[in-house]
Amino acid sequence: MEKPQAETVTGGRLNLREKPSVQSRRLALIPDGAQIAVSEHDAQWYRAQYNNLDGYVMKQFVQLLPALPGTWSYGKVTADPLNVRRSPGTSAAR
């Protein structure tokens, strides 16, 4: 699982499912307002981590938390290769 992004549960308790299906086994019941970590997603489901459990939650019940100043945000690398620089700018040392 890639680096997760913080999200919060909205709209009541949310099922953490073993697979991305409402028929899949429920692993946990996540309370409203709880923070979860999500990564992969499709049109309807997030892959999520909650209380050391990995599973899936429906996207419609999850709200993206805004990034706070001075905190890390996560993204997916789409370049191959990607240069990591010591400072901003393409002339900075790799």
Side-chain angles (χ1 to χ4, degrees), residues 13-50:
R13 294 180 291 185
L14 178 63
N15 292 315
L16 179 68
R17 301 272 184 189
E18 186 175 44
K19 297 178 182 177
S21 166
V22 294
Q23 287 82 31
S24 181
R25 182 171 70 98
R26 182 173 67 193
L27 301 174
L29 192 58
I30 306 170
D32 189 36
Q35 288 191 8
I36 60 175
V38 301
S39 61
E40 303 164 14
H41 63 89
D42 63 19
Q44 194 174 12
W45 296 88
Y46 280 122
R47 185 167 180 190
Q49 293 178 333
Y50 176 73

Side-chain angles (χ1 to χ4, degrees), residues 2 8 10 17 32 40 42 54 60 63 73 79:
E2 63 195 53
T8 187
T10 61
R17 301 272 184 189
D32 189 36
E40 303 164 14
D42 63 19
D54 288 331
Q60 71 189 64
Q63 179 182 19
S73 294

Side-chain angles (χ1 to χ4, degrees), residues 68-82:
L68 299 173
T71 62
W72 288 93
S73 294
Y74 300 99
K76 182 177 182 178
V77 174
T78 59
D80 184 24
L82 176 68

